[in-house]
Amino acid sequence: MVYWNRFISYIFRYHEYDKCENTGFAKVQKQNEKGKMQVNFKDQVKKEGLYSVYLYRETLADPEEYPEAVPDSMIPVVLYLGKLSLKSGRGEDCFTFDWNNVNHTGRPITAWSGIIIRRMGEEESDIFCSSWTDNIVDYSQAFARREAAEAERERRADVAATEYDRRRIVSETMTESENMDSESEAETMASEVKETTHTDTDNPETVLPETEESPDEKTFSQTDEETEKRVTAAEVLETMKEDGRAAELMANREKLPLLPNCPDGENGVIECVKINPNDIGLLNMDNWRLGVNSFLTHGFYSYKYLMLGRVLFDEEDTNGYILGVPGEYSSKEKYLAGIFGFDRFIPVKETRIKTGSFGYWVVDLK
């Protein structure tokens, strides 16, 4: 924990969580109510790539919760701060935050104990750490719970995908069976029509009126109409079920303030609630892939929640549901969000200048 308005700390490389050489520094300073942290470090092993920057606070290692932790050490609890790009072995960036409420956590910067820098997508590579205290910190446990949670979420996604494939195969098999039955019935009816035609030809007194449908044509027409009605009813029922799942979440989760802007700029509001990645499994199966979306995962671990929204127009009609990842608007974040499918940003407050404003990166739910 720090108590200064301005300080500099050194960053060290950790190989297999053993402290190695100094690789840079982090300079933190207060400007009015805002905080600014300049990070400058080098990685002569990898030299190129994107790195995630985390703040961390310390907590005592509970032997039951962290059985593999170093005895009498502190466990770092991380908070995602942003991304840093490394070129030619060197990386430099500046991160801003509210000095007394870092990233909407309710904690001031003085409640944090250092930073951790880790290469994105390579959890086994070296990490770079800067401690602002004299405590012994077991950095090997920094992401242990997080990686276990991600592994469990991936396992659930695999189970969900398997279940989805099983249901799809059953549905296709039933459809093929229905088609075969329909073809068999059509062949039988066609045979009956052929026999009737032969009989009518042999008996010239039996003549069907030209202006009226034959009984067989009426049967075909009624069958097609009934099939179309059954398909339409099934589609409507499935849509009601999917809307019902999202509506149930909307009714049973913590409310968020209404958003004044619609995703497409139309006149309306968005009703919002807080959810977590596990709640995505309660939605339509087509949305389950979002549970393992890297951008969504980073956003959740930064802000500890996701946003489920229902778009409402003045006529109170529902225009579907959206899923939002909390974040601040910047050109770099817009580029990364777009890569992972979150290509629209809705600020919490109406503003002409989006840069630096807090809001949600959103995607439409199916």
Side-chain angles (χ1 to χ4, degrees):
M1 185 177 292
V2 295
Y3 295 97
W4 310 285
N5 290 337
R6 181 178 181 180
F7 62 92
I8 296 177
S9 64
Y10 292 108
I11 299 174
F12 291 87
R13 181 174 70 91
Y14 283 74
H15 179 68
E16 296 183 352
Y17 305 108
D18 292 329
K19 189 174 182 180
C20 301
E21 75 279 2
N22 169 252
T23 59
F25 66 88
K27 182 169 69 174
V28 182
Q29 58 182 341
K30 182 179 182 181
Q31 296 179 342
N32 298 322
E33 296 302 317
K34 293 291 183 180
K36 182 173 72 172
M37 180 169 69
Q38 180 182 351
V39 176
N40 190 314
F41 88 109
K42 59 184 179 180
D43 185 351
Q44 296 300 332
V45 178
K46 297 296 183 180
K47 296 188 177 181
E48 301 285 342
L50 282 175
Y51 289 71
S52 296
V53 181
Y54 303 87
L55 282 171
Y56 73 83
R57 55 186 178 85
E58 297 174 348
T59 182
L60 285 172
D62 185 344
E64 295 183 358
E65 189 173 3
Y66 298 94
E68 298 180 359
V70 175
D72 301 323
S73 66
M74 305 297 287
I75 301 298
V77 180
V78 299
L79 170 71
Y80 176 72
L81 193 59
K83 300 177 181 65
L84 186 149
S85 178
L86 197 74
K87 295 181 180 179
S88 301
R90 293 185 175 274
E92 181 178 357
D93 211 334
C94 186
F95 304 92
T96 58
F97 46 85
D98 188 326
W99 187 267
N100 295 310
N101 184 15
V102 179
N103 283 14
H104 306 279
T105 59
R107 292 186 173 91
I109 191 64
T110 54
W112 302 90
S113 306
I115 64 172
I116 298 176
I117 303 172
R118 185 168 74 157
R119 186 177 175 86
M120 293 179 60
E122 295 186 18
E123 288 74 11
E124 301 302 325
S125 63
D126 295 344
I127 62 173
F128 303 84
C129 307
S130 177
S131 176
W132 303 339
T133 70
D134 295 328
N135 297 324
I136 299 174
V137 182
D138 186 357
Y139 290 111
S140 67
Q141 301 300 310
F143 302 96
R145 295 177 64 183
R146 175 179 177 175
E147 289 167 354
E150 288 181 351
E152 174 63 16
R153 189 153 48 250
E154 290 179 359
R155 185 192 67 79
R156 292 183 179 182
D158 290 339
V159 171
T162 303
E163 176 65 14
Y164 174 79
D165 290 339
R166 186 188 67 80
R167 293 186 181 184
R168 178 175 56 80
I169 292 171
V170 171
S171 176
E172 291 175 352
T173 303
M174 292 178 65
T175 302
E176 291 177 0
S177 177
E178 290 175 358
N179 290 338
M180 291 176 64
D181 292 341
S182 298
E183 290 176 0
S184 177
E185 183 178 353
E187 290 176 358
T188 302
M189 295 180 69
S191 177
E192 292 176 355
V193 170
K194 187 175 180 180
E195 291 176 0
T196 304
T197 303
H198 284 300
T199 303
D200 293 338
T201 303
D202 296 337
N203 186 5
E205 296 180 358
T206 306
V207 180
L208 292 174
E210 296 181 357
T211 57
E212 295 182 3
E213 290 183 345
S214 66
D216 298 310
E217 290 175 341
K218 289 182 180 180
T219 302
F220 278 121
S221 177
Q222 291 175 357
T223 302
D224 292 341
E225 289 178 1
E226 291 175 359
T227 302
E228 184 177 355
K229 288 179 181 179
R230 287 199 298 269
V231 172
T232 304
E235 291 176 349
V236 171
L237 181 60
E238 183 62 25
T239 302
M240 291 174 63
K241 288 181 179 178
E242 293 168 4
D243 290 345
R245 296 168 189 154
E248 185 176 354
L249 282 176
M250 296 291 297
N252 296 304
R253 296 296 185 269
E254 181 182 349
K255 301 290 184 183
L256 289 167
L258 289 175
L259 295 180
N261 301 317
C262 285
D264 298 322
E266 299 186 26
N267 185 25
V269 296
I270 302 174
E271 184 181 23
C272 311
V273 297
K274 287 185 178 181
I275 65 170
N276 60 61
N278 291 333
D279 291 329
I280 296 175
L282 303 177
L283 300 172
N284 178 17
M285 285 189 296
D286 291 339
N287 301 305
W288 288 358
R289 57 184 176 78
L290 293 171
V292 291
N293 185 292
S294 298
F295 181 79
L296 179 144
T297 302
H298 276 292
F300 174 73
Y301 279 106
S302 298
Y303 295 93
K304 306 304 180 187
Y305 76 97
L306 302 171
M307 182 272 286
L308 174 65
R310 176 168 52 199
V311 182
L312 301 174
F313 292 104
D314 292 339
E315 296 82 3
E316 296 187 358
D317 290 333
T318 300
N319 189 36
Y321 293 86
I322 57 175
L323 181 65
V325 177
E328 294 186 357
Y329 186 91
S330 67
S331 57
K332 181 171 67 175
E333 200 70 9
K334 178 182 178 182
Y335 172 75
L336 292 170
I339 291 176
F340 291 96
F342 293 82
D343 54 357
R344 291 172 294 168
F345 182 80
I346 303 177
V348 172
K349 298 180 180 179
E350 293 187 7
T351 176
R352 293 183 178 179
I353 303 176
K354 286 186 178 180
T355 302
S357 60
F358 177 77
Y360 301 97
W361 300 96
V362 302
V363 65
D364 291 323
L365 293 178
K366 297 180 181 180

